[in-house]
Amino acid sequence: MSDLDLGVIGNCAVAALVDRDARVVWYCLPRFDGDPVFHALLGAPKDAPDDGVFAIELEDHVHSEQHYIENTAVLVTELHGRQGSLRITDFAPRFVWRDRLFYPQALVRRLTPISGSPRIKIRLRPRFEYGSVAPARTYGSHHIRYVGPQTTMRLTTDATIDFIRDETFFNLSAPLDLFLGPDETLQLGVKETADRLEERTLVYWRTWTHRLATPFEWQDAVIRAAITLKLCTYEPTGAIVAALTTSIPESPGTQRNWDYRFCWLRDAYFVVRALNRLAAVRKMENYFRWLMNIVASLHENDIQPVYGIGLENKLIEREIPDLPGYRGMGPVRVGNQAYEHLQYDNYGNVILGVAQMFLDRRLLSPPNRADFQHLEALGRRALKFYDQPDAGMWEYRTRASVHTTSSLMCWAAADRLARIALHIGETQRASEWRASADRIREVILERSWSKKRQAFVDSFEGEYLDAGVLLMTEVDFIDPRDPRMVSTVKQLEKVLGRGPHMMRYEAADDFGAPGTAFNTCSFWRIDALARMGRVEEAREYFSELLKLRNRLGMMSEDVDTKSGEMWGNYPQTYSLVGIVNCAVRLSRPWEAII
């Protein structure tokens, strides 16, 4: 049985998930949204139940230990058995080489005996086309090629090829290296290659982490969240995926199985904002480049809520018959129908995601007035649609309403455009956008407030509670101590609160009432409480949520409020953003300590 106690290794081009026993159970090529050549996380075809994995198996295995090398994305697993123990060091190379970033589609696995006489078996069984095609294999003296319809992988190693081919147990009497990458010959020996790649990759991550402006408290949690958020960014284009997986159910047996390996404008805004708070502004610049390509292609079309990481605008959703799904809970879905939705909050998400670009003096590639004019075109769409029905941020598939959160983000679009215009000296435009923002704000305050519920509700003239309205304080729409907001938070806690957790919404959706808590909503609540002055409660809830992380500091999308078990796609950027934002909000200042 699989679970989500998984390590993440990657280099901002590819990423792999490694379980506690050092099995690579998820790895897609040629990029995050590609073919999962290792797919054991979602099972395997009936005729090949042991395929889709890259495993290092220890004979007489007793237990394992796992950790990251501090401040890096290099993962270390120790397997302990009755006869001996070994260490497996896993990473994807990433570093600056010849004045540019080097991030190949490759994984490096380094095996080192640490005690006794460990006997191991290397089980390398990729498959292609979502598990439907077994590779052809060819062999050399120090390599094995795995040939698929569109991809060929090459394992280069100083291990005995016969032992890997036949999956034979053998004595690990000396260190071994495994380089799994493109079908290319290494220029140096595999050990020398692995030595250099590991050294430079460690330097890269330690240097990147060194630049982070971390809060005093919860530094380990923040650093691990920040590194993982970076691993969910796709360097070649600047896109940011919501998660690295597809089809991990939001709760057991519900068919709430979605493909999250794409760039949601909403999620990306929150990631950029969180990394900005840690002074990792380069991600904002890369994302701006990706986003402005989207904006330039719109013309008069509505903006989509989600795009492919290579700017693809069609993410046709289909089901995969050959994989049974996480714990057998299919279906496995590829693509996401949400690209067809109307979700008007995204006009605000785009502008919020790049607003800092116009004000930050540190940037290497600052935006210009033409970029501002492109954003104004989006702002005019927000003015047109702020009071129109859409699918909303929760992506309802069968009904539409005038969702409060969508209108809220349309207000944010106008508000931020007013701020940007004022900053760049467009005073007339600033006045016009400010007037538009004020008009939308009055409509929202009037039509989303329910006297019956004494709260801001999910939609205009609506009756149901929705944790999304907590974003009113996040985007500075309303004073968090305003009596209406205070009352809203109390009502949300009463109806949607589950201890430190927060459910998404009160009304049933297309699949019934949600059965798990959405981690992001729980973090939104903590942020709102802190802004309202309920700091000690916020700190207590935050401490409880941090206990839900797995051993390596990761979180998925959802959690069972009774058992604490993680559900939903993994690692979830929304959840990791919550860790960063709440730690920054709640931490005691450095000055108070030193």
Side-chain angles (χ1 to χ4, degrees):
M1 179 184 294
S2 299
D3 62 28
L4 297 180
D5 197 5
L6 304 170
V8 181
I9 57 173
N11 61 9
C12 304
V14 292
L17 302 182
V18 184
D19 73 8
R20 65 172 66 85
D21 295 325
R23 300 187 315 146
V24 178
V25 297
W26 188 255
Y27 180 52
C28 297
L29 289 175
R31 59 188 198 183
F32 302 149
D33 59 349
D35 185 17
V37 294
F38 300 127
H39 49 66
L41 182 65
L42 298 183
K46 291 182 180 179
D47 61 347
D50 297 323
D51 282 10
V53 69
F54 186 179
I56 312 297
E57 298 181 1
L58 176 65
E59 192 173 63
D60 297 324
H61 177 228
V62 176
H63 73 279
S64 60
E65 301 172 7
Q66 198 170 52
H67 68 276
Y68 282 101
I69 295 178
E70 188 174 21
N71 295 344
T72 77
V74 179
L75 183 67
V76 175
T77 309
E78 293 186 357
L79 303 180
H80 302 278
R82 295 183 180 89
Q83 300 179 60
S85 304
L86 75 149
R87 178 185 305 112
I88 302 159
T89 303
D90 287 323
F91 64 95
R94 179 179 172 86
F95 50 86
V96 177
W97 179 245
R98 294 176 178 172
D99 295 324
R100 62 181 181 179
L101 280 167
F102 177 67
Y103 43 87
Q105 296 168 1
L107 302 179
V108 179
R109 313 201 75 185
R110 313 200 72 185
L111 282 54
T112 306
I114 54 178
S115 69
S117 300
R119 287 177 55 78
I120 67 166
K121 176 170 66 177
I122 298 173
R123 186 155 60 91
L124 178 51
R125 294 192 183 183
R127 288 182 76 91
F128 299 101
E129 303 295 320
Y130 286 87
S132 65
V133 177
R137 297 190 294 180
T138 66
Y139 304 92
S141 56
H142 295 289
H143 74 264
I144 304 175
R145 297 170 69 245
Y146 300 86
V147 183
Q150 300 183 48
T151 303
T152 297
M153 305 163 61
R154 179 189 289 243
L155 175 74
T156 305
T157 181
D158 46 8
T160 301
I161 294 297
D162 301 61
F163 292 162
I164 300 176
R165 180 191 62 206
D166 300 331
E167 297 184 354
T168 302
F169 274 105
F170 65 93
N171 294 328
L172 182 67
S173 55
L176 294 176
D177 291 298
L178 305 163
F179 181 94
L180 183 65
D183 188 21
E184 301 170 357
T185 301
L186 297 181
Q187 295 181 354
L188 302 172
V190 66
K191 181 184 184 304
E192 185 177 359
T193 297
D195 282 344
R196 292 187 178 188
L197 295 179
E198 181 180 1
E199 177 184 359
R200 291 169 179 168
T201 299
L202 287 170
V203 169
Y204 171 84
W205 285 111
R206 286 167 174 159
T207 301
W208 186 81
T209 303
H210 177 260
R211 299 192 187 108
L212 294 178
T214 58
F216 169 74
E217 296 182 271
W218 305 293
Q219 289 185 61
D220 289 342
V222 169
I223 290 170
R224 184 52 49 199
I227 290 173
T228 310
L229 287 173
K230 185 175 177 66
L231 292 178
C232 292
T233 65
Y234 185 63
E235 186 76 34
T237 66
I240 304 169
V241 296
L244 295 172
T245 60
T246 178
S247 304
I248 309 298
E250 293 178 8
S251 55
T254 59
Q255 296 200 9
R256 297 172 183 265
N257 303 8
W258 316 116
D259 192 346
Y260 274 18
R261 300 172 297 162
F262 308 115
C263 187
W264 269 261
L265 304 182
R266 181 185 307 111
D267 300 49
Y269 153 63
F270 284 102
V271 172
V272 167
R273 184 173 173 85
L275 290 176
N276 285 350
R277 285 173 169 167
L278 301 178
V281 296
R282 187 59 182 166
K283 285 296 109 183
M284 176 175 60
E285 293 184 270
N286 290 345
Y287 175 63
F288 180 77
R289 172 167 50 90
W290 179 87
L291 194 58
M292 294 312 290
N293 272 303
I294 294 290
V295 172
S297 69
L298 288 177
H299 305 298
E300 293 301 317
N301 296 323
D302 290 315
I303 197 166
Q304 296 176 193
V306 57
Y307 292 86
I309 58 179
L311 302 175
E312 297 84 0
N313 59 11
K314 290 187 178 180
L315 308 174
I316 297 171
E317 187 175 302
R318 59 191 175 94
E319 295 185 5
I320 300 298
D322 296 286
L323 298 179
Y326 180 76
R327 300 189 184 182
M329 298 177 189
V332 172
R333 292 190 174 99
V334 174
N336 200 303
Q337 187 215 339
Y339 82 92
E340 298 177 329
H341 291 183
L342 295 176
Q343 296 176 26
Y344 297 135
D345 65 313
N346 284 297
Y347 293 110
N349 291 322
V350 169
I351 294 169
L352 283 165
V354 301
Q356 184 174 329
M357 290 283 294
F358 291 86
L359 282 70
D360 199 321
R361 301 293 295 272
R362 297 169 293 172
L363 305 184
L364 299 176
S365 303
N368 54 39
R369 289 181 184 271
D371 294 319
F372 174 68
Q373 290 169 357
H374 282 304
L375 294 184
E376 283 196 300
L378 292 186
R380 288 190 288 271
R381 304 286 285 180
L383 299 185
K384 179 179 179 180
F385 294 119
Y386 79 92
D387 60 351
Q388 299 300 305
D390 70 351
M393 69 181 301
W394 304 123
E395 300 183 341
Y396 297 112
R397 295 193 167 204
T398 60
R399 68 176 187 265
S401 301
V402 182
H403 290 96
T404 300
T405 50
S406 295
S407 188
L408 172 69
M409 289 302 179
C410 288
W411 167 85
D415 176 79
R416 285 350 185 242
L417 285 170
R419 299 187 194 190
I420 295 169
L422 188 63
H423 182 76
I424 64 175
E426 295 281 357
T427 54
Q428 179 62 33
R429 305 298 300 131
S431 298
E432 292 171 1
W433 283 114
R434 176 56 55 212
S436 296
D438 290 344
R439 184 178 72 254
I440 296 174
R441 185 174 186 274
E442 290 304 314
V443 173
I444 295 172
L445 291 174
E446 179 182 348
R447 298 185 63 185
S448 71
W449 175 257
S450 169
K451 292 182 180 179
K452 177 181 177 182
R453 302 303 299 268
Q454 287 296 294
F456 293 112
V457 291
D458 63 342
S459 58
F460 285 6
E461 288 81 45
E463 58 179 313
Y464 295 109
L465 299 179
D466 183 339
V469 302
L470 291 169
L471 292 174
M472 287 181 166
T473 61
E474 166 74 19
V475 299
D476 297 326
F477 174 82
I478 191 171
D479 188 324
R481 297 175 189 261
D482 185 292
R484 292 166 293 185
M485 199 65 210
V486 171
S487 178
T488 297
V489 171
K490 289 181 178 178
Q491 295 305 316
L492 288 170
E493 290 183 304
K494 183 186 302 182
V495 176
L496 300 180
R498 306 287 189 274
H501 308 288
M502 182 69 71
M503 309 300 285
R504 274 182 284 186
Y505 39 77
E506 181 181 16
D509 60 22
D510 309 316
F511 295 85
T516 52
F518 196 59
N519 288 324
T520 301
C521 296
S522 303
F523 288 119
W524 288 346
R525 173 211 199 174
I526 290 170
D527 186 77
L529 291 179
R531 291 171 185 262
M532 293 166 54
R534 295 167 58 182
V535 176
E536 290 308 313
E537 288 177 82
R539 288 175 63 91
E540 180 180 344
Y541 287 144
F542 185 49
S543 296
E544 290 299 311
L545 289 182
L546 288 180
K547 294 176 184 177
L548 298 174
R549 296 173 301 151
N550 65 17
R551 295 175 306 134
L552 295 169
M554 309 290 178
M555 295 186 82
S556 64
E557 179 185 37
D558 306 272
V559 64
D560 185 301
T561 60
K562 295 180 180 178
S563 67
E565 185 174 13
M566 292 194 293
W567 290 91
N569 282 305
Y570 177 93
Q572 178 73 12
T573 55
Y574 245 157
S575 300
L576 298 170
V577 162
I579 293 173
V580 172
N581 287 345
C582 288
V584 171
R585 174 73 58 192
L586 296 170
S587 175
R588 290 173 291 170
W590 287 90
E591 292 82 358
I593 308 302
I594 56 176

